[in-house]
Amino acid sequence: MPTTPETRTIKVGALTRVEGEGALLVRIRGDTVAKLELRIYEPPRFFEALLRGRPFSDAPDITARICGICPLAYITSACQAMEDALGAPVEGALRDLRRLAYCGEWIESHVLHVAMLHAPDFLGVPDAFAIAETDPDLVKTALRLKRLGNRILEVVGGRAVHPVNFRVGGFYKVPNRDAVKALAEPLRWGIEAAVGMTAAVAAFDFPDLDVAATLVALREDGAYPIDRGRIVSDRGLDVPVADFGRHFGEEHVARSNALHGMTAAGEPYLTGPLARYTLNHDRLSPLARQAAAEAGLGPECRNPFRSIIVRMVEVIYACEEALRLVEAYTPPEAPAVPVVAGAGEGHGASEAPRGLLYHHYRLDGEGRITFADIVPPTAQNQKQMEADLRAVVEANLGADDATLRWRCEQAIRNYDPCISCATHFLDVRVERG
Amino acid sequence: MAKQPPRRPKLAVWKFASCDGCQLTLLDCEDELLEVAGHLTIAYFLEASRATLKGPYDLSLVEGSITTPDDAKRIQRIRRQSRTLVTIGACATAGGIQALRNFADVDDYVRQVYPRPEFIRTLPRSTPIRDHVRVDFELKGCPISRHQLLEVIAAFLAGRRPSIPEVSQCMECKRHGTPCVMVTRGLPCLGPVTQAGCGNLCPPLGRACYGCFGPMETPNTASLAGWFAASGTDSAAIRDLFRTYNAAAPAFRRESEAQARTTSSHADDA
């Protein structure tokens, strides 16, 4: 008769080096995971409810306040949803300017995550301040690159956190030519710095882990997806953004103030750098593709631990793309297309640094919001994060508690989870069967 | 600089209901971050470090508002462990955008957002930190200004009070020679009642100030609202202008409630 299996409990009371508040509980009985819960205790802020009754024009600035790390993702998805609702598409030079700013946000957010939040796990130190003691050049380069991302946001948007120059239809004022052109030289440096950092992170040790989940990302002609695209998956999905709700849903579980995303079939899916990269490898620039190959990545990457490399490859692309847009910049004649308040329904999606960010609104005859639905990437990834954690725990059962705990934290940080974003959503419409 | 303090003061950064943007501002001090880290022991900063030290802390920066019963208790513990406590940002100083619930029924909000309302524990109002504990200094803004944050830290290290002007945004426009958007474009601008400090961002873009730094000292909101009404802004729109990131700051709250009363009496007339 077998002895009663030993029970171990691994607890992470407060996750660190993530945006927002979460915790993890793992219970292991013998060599099986008896319980695994990622708890989100970040207090809810009820954005979808507080938007009701507000004018359509408030949505970009108010939803920006969901996340201080990726405000432009919220601004962009909200603007596009409102422009869809009110029949005012933004194209050409105005759209390019939005994309330029979005490149800045990718650079700022990705470099923050790579150097300050994620790299310490691979180096076995508690934070980037400790890296600065042993490798000050790496941290200084990262800070300078992050600053460049913020600088782009300041030039185009007026401010890095909660920029003020964006509105439904375009901008309040287009930036002047000289200010934009002055970004070119720092961006040329940025491309080289990003290539160097890609090689540096590629030298880390990567545990084995293979995500089998459906990968979901935006995709569009001729460019790597940043500010817009159609929704595609590695299982053949290819639909307009307006069809999001038909293919994806959410469920509410007791342990979490964030709703868990899932496919219409109830399966977990993955959005974010791995999904973007794998579904859009052919859309990367030659230099970014080459850097990826030299860093040991094939055209697909399904190991979340390697997302740190993918983020750096995306930083290379974002710097190159920003440089291209800067060099082509001529101030548009009008800062915005005309937008007339009225009734409508609209959808918008963009690729936040952490993945697909979907907005959906309905407006009354005066252009006031009657319904809002916001689905952030971290909520979509939560189910898959738990699946990864289970695999990581099972692969490391022999490790002592402290090591296992750290490895679990690292597995969570693979997703650059933004818990502030994940906590608040939507009227859920989970459709089953 | 010959005289170094005997030990580096311990810095703690705490988060309540918020977007993380204000504590990110500390990490956005790219040029100064390593120097700041050299003058302080970063004892508790979950967004930046896995290593934490036990209190007491010499300087606590608090981001976010109080919205849950647990957080109302947690801020008391933090206050007890903090020699100096500074609140940063509109959530911590005024309740943030999530204080729009204060004007609605929070149970209704919960039902609108969550399919299983019974899983959610929340308070009916979002309140600033000073409603719960003594606060040594309040740094306003949605988000705070990087320069003002560095000034607060420098002042703390020097043992002096931070030098943060409490004048209106109008003063900033005058200083920068920015044409007044109310005069030249007829836009309803909150600049006359909003504290300066953002760095004069919106009016130079031709955009009216939307009050993200909250009310200045003794603002005359009623007079300004009268000007808005005279230039054709209806009371519902004026209400919404005062009801954003600093909606629960007393001066803005009172004005938005006055406008809401006007709006509903007009609706009754109609």
Side-chain angles (χ1 to χ4, degrees):
Chain A
M1 183 162 166
T3 52
T4 309
E6 184 197 356
T7 300
R8 293 163 71 190
T9 303
I10 310 282
K11 266 179 147 164
V12 182
L15 294 170
T16 59
R17 299 204 316 272
V18 299
E19 289 92 19
E21 300 184 295
L24 175 69
L25 173 76
V26 183
R27 189 159 296 143
I28 302 163
R29 194 161 296 138
D31 53 5
T32 56
V33 179
K35 188 174 187 178
L36 190 147
E37 285 185 357
L38 188 58
R39 278 206 317 125
I40 302 283
Y41 58 88
E42 173 93 11
R45 295 194 290 148
F46 309 113
F47 275 86
E48 282 96 343
L50 64 83
L51 282 164
R52 292 191 188 185
R54 305 287 307 197
F56 76 91
S57 50
D58 279 356
D61 286 334
I62 288 183
T63 60
R65 267 67 181 185
I66 292 172
C67 179
I69 291 86
C70 58
L72 193 62
Y74 284 87
I75 287 172
T76 305
S77 290
C79 282
Q80 290 177 353
M82 292 306 178
E83 288 150 9
D84 180 37
L86 299 171
V90 170
E91 300 292 344
L94 291 174
R95 186 242 164 161
D96 285 350
L97 205 47
R98 239 180 218 171
R99 187 170 165 91
L100 170 60
Y102 216 135
C103 288
E105 184 158 287
W106 270 30
I107 297 167
E108 158 281 303
S109 175
H110 272 358
V111 174
L112 169 75
H113 185 259
V114 167
M116 308 202 68
L117 310 186
H118 208 190
D121 284 330
F122 294 93
L123 298 169
V125 295
D127 51 40
F129 304 112
I131 303 178
E133 284 166 19
T134 54
D135 193 350
D137 288 343
L138 177 67
V139 177
K140 282 180 186 161
T141 300
L143 287 172
R144 191 173 156 197
L145 197 51
K146 179 168 158 325
R147 166 128 200 76
L148 172 59
N150 279 339
R151 183 68 201 142
I152 296 170
L153 282 161
E154 286 164 5
V155 167
V156 182
R159 171 159 80 183
V161 179
H162 306 328
V164 297
N165 194 25
F166 300 91
R167 62 166 154 167
V168 178
F171 297 82
Y172 287 90
K173 185 181 178 183
V174 293
N176 78 46
R177 195 187 153 83
D178 291 349
V180 172
K181 298 290 178 190
L183 294 168
E185 207 44 52
L187 280 166
R188 284 188 198 102
W189 169 85
I191 294 167
E192 283 192 29
V195 169
M197 275 182 68
T198 307
V201 300
F204 293 161
D205 259 346
F206 298 99
D208 290 330
L209 181 62
D210 213 32
V211 171
T214 303
L215 305 178
V216 177
L218 295 181
R219 182 168 167 88
E220 64 166 331
D221 287 341
Y224 198 72
I226 298 178
D227 55 320
R228 69 179 183 190
R230 288 169 64 82
I231 299 170
V232 304
S233 83
D234 62 338
R235 310 282 158 93
L237 186 75
D238 182 355
V239 295
V241 169
D243 285 357
F244 180 89
R246 261 182 233 164
H247 300 278
F248 305 98
E250 295 184 298
E251 66 177 343
H252 193 183
V253 295
R255 60 185 176 276
S256 181
N257 291 345
L259 305 176
H260 286 197
M262 56 196 189
T263 64
E267 299 294 318
Y269 65 98
L270 182 67
T271 172
L274 294 189
R276 273 195 304 259
Y277 176 88
T278 300
L279 293 166
N280 293 280
H281 182 262
D282 60 331
R283 299 287 195 253
L284 282 167
S285 62
L287 178 66
R289 263 205 303 268
Q290 184 195 333
E294 283 168 10
L297 295 186
E300 286 194 6
C301 179
R302 288 176 172 271
N303 180 345
F305 289 99
R306 288 183 192 270
S307 65
I308 190 168
I309 308 176
V310 176
R311 284 191 188 87
M312 280 317 306
V313 168
E314 289 191 335
V315 172
I316 299 172
Y317 177 83
C319 286
E320 289 183 280
E321 180 69 355
L323 179 61
R324 182 184 73 77
L325 294 165
V326 161
E327 286 177 335
Y329 182 67
T330 314
E333 300 218 340
V337 300
V339 180
V340 181
E345 176 168 7
H347 309 260
S350 64
E351 284 284 354
R354 287 148 199 81
L356 188 73
L357 170 61
Y358 167 76
H359 287 221
H360 173 201
Y361 300 98
R362 282 197 281 271
L363 307 175
D364 69 13
E366 291 176 21
R368 286 189 180 266
I369 297 165
T370 57
F371 168 87
D373 176 5
I374 298 166
V375 187
T378 297
Q380 300 176 64
N381 286 341
Q382 210 175 323
K383 231 175 153 77
Q384 184 56 39
M385 280 163 69
E386 288 191 349
D388 278 16
L389 282 163
R390 195 169 279 273
V392 164
V393 171
E394 282 166 358
N396 291 278
L397 285 170
D400 62 54
D401 285 4
T403 307
L404 186 52
R405 193 188 133 161
W406 194 328
R407 190 45 57 89
C408 286
E409 288 183 45
Q410 184 178 8
I412 293 169
R413 286 191 282 263
N414 285 339
Y415 287 85
D416 187 8
C418 185
I419 295 170
S420 307
C421 286
T423 307
H424 22 66
F425 328 139
L426 140 107
D427 278 275
V428 185
R429 292 141 308 158
V430 178
E431 289 161 21
R432 293 175 197 277
Chain B
M1 287 302 289
K3 198 174 143 202
Q4 282 289 324
R7 62 174 186 89
R8 290 184 299 176
K10 282 160 76 178
L11 171 73
V13 181
W14 308 96
K15 177 185 153 63
F16 291 86
S18 66
C19 78
D20 282 61
C22 289
Q23 51 175 316
L24 177 70
T25 303
L26 189 56
L27 298 177
D28 276 351
C29 298
E30 290 97 354
D31 298 339
E32 303 87 359
L33 185 64
L34 296 179
E35 201 186 330
V36 169
H39 284 86
L40 293 158
T41 298
I42 296 176
Y44 191 95
F45 186 5
L46 294 186
E47 185 170 330
S49 180
R50 192 174 186 271
T52 56
L53 297 175
K54 283 194 167 31
Y57 306 99
D58 297 288
L59 174 61
S60 276
L61 301 176
V62 179
E63 173 191 276
S65 68
I66 304 297
T67 61
T68 67
D70 287 346
D71 279 356
K73 289 185 198 133
R74 185 160 64 99
I75 189 61
Q76 300 293 342
R77 291 197 297 274
I78 290 168
R79 175 69 264 190
R80 285 198 291 276
Q81 295 181 74
S82 307
R83 292 204 169 84
T84 299
L85 188 151
V86 174
T87 49
I88 56 170
C91 297
T93 61
I97 188 73
Q98 58 274 19
L100 290 185
R101 79 178 66 178
N102 301 10
F103 306 92
D105 174 1
V106 77
D107 292 331
D108 185 38
Y109 269 28
V110 174
R111 281 192 299 271
Q112 282 184 41
V113 178
Y114 290 97
R116 304 286 300 272
E118 69 277 16
F119 293 165
I120 299 296
R121 289 187 76 207
T122 193
L123 293 170
R125 295 167 65 233
S126 168
T127 45
I129 302 299
R130 71 157 179 282
D131 283 9
H132 301 264
V133 297
R134 179 173 57 82
V135 171
D136 297 293
F137 190 80
E138 292 191 311
L139 189 61
K140 296 180 176 181
C142 183
I144 55 170
S145 138
R146 183 158 46 112
H147 301 293
Q148 291 196 340
L149 177 63
L150 287 169
E151 163 59 16
V152 165
I153 293 172
F156 167 80
L157 290 169
R160 61 173 172 80
R161 192 161 175 81
S163 168
I164 304 289
E166 293 181 352
V167 298
S168 72
Q169 167 57 30
C170 286
M171 299 293 285
E172 288 287 316
C173 278
K174 300 289 176 292
R175 196 173 294 143
H176 285 82
T178 308
C180 177
V181 296
M182 269 183 84
V183 173
T184 60
R185 298 174 182 235
L187 297 175
C189 180
L190 289 178
V193 297
T194 298
Q195 182 167 310
C198 64
N200 198 42
L201 299 177
C202 289
L205 297 170
R207 178 179 190 181
C209 169
Y210 64 90
C212 67
F213 267 58
M216 64 177 296
E217 212 179 11
T218 62
N220 190 345
T221 56
S223 166
L224 184 65
W227 282 98
F228 291 169
S231 62
T233 307
D234 69 30
S235 57
I238 301 173
R239 175 200 64 200
D240 291 344
L241 283 174
F242 283 100
R243 214 168 260 187
T244 61
Y245 317 101
N246 292 279
F252 284 8
R253 175 178 54 78
R254 281 193 297 271
E255 190 55 46
S256 80
E257 284 171 345
Q259 297 297 327
R261 284 192 293 275
T262 309
T263 306
S264 62
S265 69
H266 284 176
D268 293 344
D269 294 346

